[in-house]
Amino acid sequence: MDPHFDGVIFQTHAAELARRLRHAHPPFVVLDVRPRSEWAAARIPGSLHVSAAALASGLPPGSSRDAEFFIVGRQPDDPAVREVSLALQGLGARRRVELTGGMHEWRHLGLPIESGEERAA
């Protein structure tokens, strides 16, 4: 990662995140900010459920400030995505990437989905 861009909030689309899931380097974490029931029903494989309030106690378990965080909401312009991005910034996270189309775009493209309650942050 280029340290000149640390602290900048980036945005990307579902196809890029799907590509990154196939080639997971450098390390990154996918954070889903939708209500827990929606996350449990259908989510991006490997994603963690998180809220800005939950981040008050620190970064998600197993992550560090140096990880790249992809933040996923319901749909485009989901305000919870920016709220979590800013909370991560306050915790010193260097790279935050917001998924612009949220789960709406992920589903529309027919990308892989998993379900169940495991992996909550």
Side-chain angles (χ1 to χ4, degrees):
M1 290 186 280
D2 186 340
H4 292 24
F5 290 105
D6 286 354
V8 174
I9 296 175
F10 293 93
Q11 295 184 327
T12 196
H13 47 85
E16 174 59 17
L17 178 53
R19 183 192 71 77
R20 288 292 305 278
L21 286 171
R22 290 189 303 274
H23 308 286
H25 186 75
F28 66 92
V29 180
V30 179
L31 301 176
D32 192 321
V33 302
R34 297 174 301 142
R36 187 180 186 90
S37 60
E38 291 181 29
W39 169 84
R43 65 179 173 271
I44 295 171
S47 66
L48 299 174
H49 177 263
V50 73
S51 66
L55 292 174
S57 61
L59 292 171
S63 66
S64 75
R65 293 175 352 140
D66 296 328
E68 189 169 22
F69 292 93
F70 284 84
I71 304 132
V72 181
R74 281 183 171 157
Q75 59 202 18
D77 300 320
D78 184 336
V81 170
R82 183 55 52 93
E83 185 179 358
V84 166
S85 289
L86 294 174
L88 288 167
Q89 181 179 19
L91 292 169
R94 295 181 176 155
R95 302 278 289 198
R96 292 148 347 263
V97 183
E98 298 175 349
L99 194 65
T100 58
M103 279 303 290
H104 173 77
E105 179 185 24
W106 190 267
R107 284 189 178 124
H108 179 74
L109 294 175
L111 295 168
I113 291 177
E114 69 180 9
S115 63
E117 277 292 324
E118 60 280 346
R119 294 195 51 86

